[in-house]
Amino acid sequence: MHKPKPILLMTRPEAAAQRFLAKLGGAWECEAILSPLIGIDYVPEKPSLDGVRGLIFTSAHGVAALGNKADGPPLPAYVVGQNTAQAARDSGWDVRQVYQKADALVDALIATLPPAPLLHIRGMHARGDVAARLSDAGIRTIDAILYDQPELELSKAARDALVGEIPVIAPVFSPRTAALLAKNRIKAPLLVAAMSEAVAKPLLSLHITELKIAVRPESAEMTRLVTDLLKSASAWDYGPGH
């Protein structure tokens, strides 16, 4: 019988999962299951930008939540991640600096002291205390919570895959997603690509067949790791007759 394809389990919000799949391309055949563990619910009200001297985006969801620049000069934007930076540019904001992590953004802004106040566009669940740390350092920064990230349950297809015999490759991009994934029953061979050590930590109690941790918290690095894991899983003997 024909050996089934490895399963690629995408637990990101659907739009982000689709972007990742597009970047992955068709280098390795797999069966993709999209089952977000975190939803994105945008707040309809937008904050006033009167008097704001700059924006901080730590997620592309924040850019989408704020929307496109209105009339007038674009505000400077300080962002985390290349995807976030591109989304901010596409929305008309003046991207000044791009950082790999929120900690690096905070350190750099404290060192350069940009004009304030700044507005940090973020979700209900956020890590790093960006606004508080900058304000404590003398750079007045206001939190603008423009979306929520409710927990979601895995779909039946995803749950079935995790207790089956076919290898499951799971790219995991945040510690919260990792913690939610770890709550599920897992019997299948599980190959994990984690965005960072902090992302990998909640998954260490699971029986993981192979774990790769990104050297840099970037989408391109995660694409490379997932490609490697798909290649590895495709070479195994599994499925009918094994």
Side-chain angles (χ1 to χ4, degrees):
M1 295 180 65
H2 181 68
K3 185 171 77 170
K5 301 173 185 177
I7 293 169
L8 178 61
L9 176 59
M10 297 298 305
T11 54
R12 303 187 86 183
E14 187 163 346
Q18 293 285 9
R19 287 195 299 270
F20 185 81
L21 289 175
K23 289 182 179 179
L24 191 63
W28 293 96
E29 290 192 357
C30 61
E31 178 189 349
I33 296 178
L34 275 61
S35 182
L37 281 168
I38 295 174
I40 301 294
D41 292 341
Y42 293 111
V43 174
E45 296 81 12
K46 308 297 182 191
S48 171
L49 300 182
D50 291 346
V52 172
R53 304 292 298 278
L55 300 170
I56 297 173
F57 295 113
T58 48
S59 163
H61 298 304
V63 179
L66 184 61
N68 292 340
K69 181 191 77 65
D71 294 337
L75 285 171
Y78 310 96
V79 307
V80 174
Q82 293 296 336
N83 287 342
T84 308
Q86 190 58 54
R89 293 186 189 100
D90 291 345
S91 294
W93 305 110
D94 179 15
V95 175
R96 296 288 178 87
Q97 295 290 340
V98 184
Y99 306 92
Q100 288 189 357
K101 296 182 180 181
D103 286 346
L105 178 147
V106 170
D107 291 344
L109 293 184
I110 290 173
T112 56
L113 297 175
L118 305 177
L119 193 65
H120 179 201
I121 309 297
R122 68 172 182 87
M124 186 72 67
H125 299 272
R127 303 172 73 243
D129 297 323
V130 170
R133 289 162 64 191
L134 289 174
S135 294
D136 288 346
I139 305 168
R140 184 174 174 236
T141 305
I142 304 161
D143 271 330
I145 300 174
L146 296 193
Y147 59 98
D148 193 8
Q149 305 115 299
E151 294 182 11
L152 303 176
E153 292 186 357
L154 286 177
S155 66
K156 183 179 184 302
R159 294 196 306 271
D160 288 348
L162 289 174
V163 296
E165 297 180 356
I166 301 171
V168 176
I169 293 87
V172 187
F173 292 80
S174 75
R176 186 166 175 241
T177 302
L180 294 174
L181 180 62
K183 293 180 180 180
N184 290 271
R185 180 168 171 254
I186 299 174
K187 287 176 53 183
L190 182 63
L191 298 84
V192 173
M195 188 77 146
S196 66
E197 295 279 357
V199 172
K201 188 175 180 179
L203 299 169
L204 296 180
S205 61
L206 302 178
H207 178 69
I208 299 175
T209 304
E210 193 168 350
L211 171 64
K212 290 182 178 288
I213 300 174
V215 176
R216 298 173 304 280
E218 298 174 352
S219 182
E221 173 70 359
M222 289 291 285
T223 301
R224 184 184 69 80
L225 295 185
V226 169
T227 300
D228 288 347
L229 290 175
L230 284 169
K231 179 180 179 180
S232 177
S234 297
W236 297 353
D237 289 330
Y238 61 86
H242 294 279

